[in-house]
Amino acid sequence: GGGGYGGGNQTAPNFKSGPGSGVVARDSAPPRFIPISMLNQYQSRWTIKARVTTKSPKRTWHNARGEGRVFSFVLLDAQGGEIQCAAFGETADKWDTILQVGQVITLSKASLKPKRNSAYNNTASPYEITLEKQTEIIVLPEDSETRAIPHVQYKFKTIAEVEGTAANSLVDVLGVVTAVEPATSITLRNGTGTVKRPLTILDASCKSVELTLWGDFTSAPGNNLEQEVNAGNRPIIAVKSAKVSDFNGKTLSTLNSSHVDVDPDVPEAGALRSWFDQGGHGAATGSLSGAGNVKVDRRITLDMIRGEGLGRREDNRADWVKVTATLNFIRSENMTYPACQLQRDGRLCQKKCTDNGAGWWCDACQTNSEPAFRYIISMSVQDHTDLQWLSCFEEQGTAIMGMSGNELQKLAGTAAWEEVIKGAQHSTRSYKLKIAEETWNDEARIKCSIVSSDPLDYATESAVLLEDIKALQLGRPINVPPPQRGSSA
């Protein structure tokens, strides 16, 4: 039971197990480790020694042929070679709990195949590894040799380069965190719940982008990032294998297999810190996030919606803006609708049900369903410049009303229902809006939808207004329209 394997010239015995046999130790010469960069399909026998840098949770999938399990992980060796590995079915069950991020392992008797999709595998290797039943893996103790293998290796793209990167690609990014939003719980299309937290990051290419942390990343490091930014600090974040999306301009998201590090000890982070502290924080910048390069967090006043013709773009894209306004009226008729809760095509139906006397009928599912009532609210808000009608749905309505649509529906016809409506009115909030043109009964009209809203943070709002006052004193305009795509920042 003693340790010591891996020290000096000693080699750990290669333990393997097989059906119908006990654990045996095979005497053999020490394996000759091949650098990952030298792997090729013409080698019949090979062994690599590398560190597990990222690992995805094991997931179960279903299709017409049945059910399966899979997880993947990335290995990095001392020579800087990286390769992605995957395990399926019983092999996934066997190795999922054994392999952990940070371990150094030796791996042999696995299949080496050409990389299938570079969009989901951003390692430099042209191959990927599939674990087989006969695959042999040894977890090595940490010693002077294993400590020489890095825990992570980044191949950073600048945020400006992300703009030209295809959707669904995986990239490594490094940026200064300039804004952190609160974590919010959402329901996915398959009916499961998760948590997300949007950040804004900026780098020396003078471009910013929205980076959304998902799942456990929203609390670690998300909670600390929120505290740091609220305290006036601007930490640096590095993300390995962030997913690129072209929804709402260009945005980034973490995956379960991503690696996130705050203030990483890499030369690129030191250079970025120097740039930001020595003037980068005041440089003219542009955002990749927001349709047509319109910044998601661009502040406007309500009169600018009509004054600038927001939502009436020639390319038919929406405008995304932020406004501070007071809710002055909620249209209380038909605030909720009965939404079907049956599963259809792998996700909650959510279509409107009708009362057929025998229950609630869903036309889409062609059966009765016990519905949950969801918000579909029309409300007006105003600031010192104008009044504007807005619409919102369940998640945003819950934040504004303080309870879900289903909970409010249970109070219908009571004095408590009236109190909830009155309690929400006349509150001042910060709104993010999507403004787009839609056609209704052959008539084009502008629709303003609430993307998110938060109670007004008076300290933050005061700081923003003071910055606006300083800009006006210096003769600089405020809340100006951003440059269109292709123009200089």
Side-chain angles (χ1 to χ4, degrees), residues 159 171 173-177 179-181 196-202 208-214 225 237-243 250-255 258 260 289:
I159 295 176
V171 297
V173 292
L174 180 78
V176 179
V177 181
V180 181
E181 295 189 20
K196 70 173 185 176
R197 183 194 290 272
L199 317 177
T200 301
I201 61 173
L202 169 74
S208 65
V209 68
E210 183 176 290
L211 165 67
T212 300
L213 304 181
W214 289 89
L225 288 173
I237 189 171
V239 181
K240 183 174 183 61
S241 297
K243 184 179 179 180
K250 273 290 197 294
T251 57
L252 300 172
S253 299
T254 60
L255 304 173
S258 298
V260 179
S289 303

Side-chain angles (χ1 to χ4, degrees), residues 205-226:
S205 67
C206 291
K207 294 290 185 180
S208 65
V209 68
E210 183 176 290
L211 165 67
T212 300
L213 304 181
W214 289 89
D216 292 341
F217 291 129
T218 61
S219 55
N223 290 343
N224 186 61
L225 288 173
E226 184 176 26

Side-chain angles (χ1 to χ4, degrees), residues 48 58 82 115 141 197-198 205 257 285 303 316 346 395 460:
I48 58 175
K58 185 176 69 173
E82 276 188 308
K115 184 189 297 186
R197 183 194 290 272
S205 67
S257 57
T285 61
D303 64 331
N316 295 319
E395 289 77 13
T460 301

Side-chain angles (χ1 to χ4, degrees), residues 288-354:
L288 306 189
S289 303
N293 271 0
V294 178
K295 296 178 70 172
V296 174
D297 57 354
R298 181 201 169 200
R299 285 172 60 93
I300 66 166
T301 51
L302 291 177
D303 64 331
M304 297 168 71
I305 295 176
R306 294 183 179 86
E308 294 184 8
L310 298 183
R312 300 186 185 277
R313 298 167 60 92
E314 292 183 1
D315 56 11
N316 295 319
R317 291 180 174 180
D319 284 304
W320 304 75
V321 297
K322 187 174 183 179
V323 64
T324 297
T326 300
L327 198 168
N328 71 331
F329 182 75
I330 298 174
R331 185 171 288 158
S332 57
E333 300 86 3
N334 302 318
M335 289 181 61
T336 62
Y337 75 97
C340 176
Q341 297 300 288
L342 297 178
Q343 290 283 332
R344 183 164 59 90
D345 298 330
R347 59 183 181 180
L348 282 179
C349 173
Q350 306 277 41
K351 296 294 185 180
K352 184 177 180 179
C353 295
T354 55

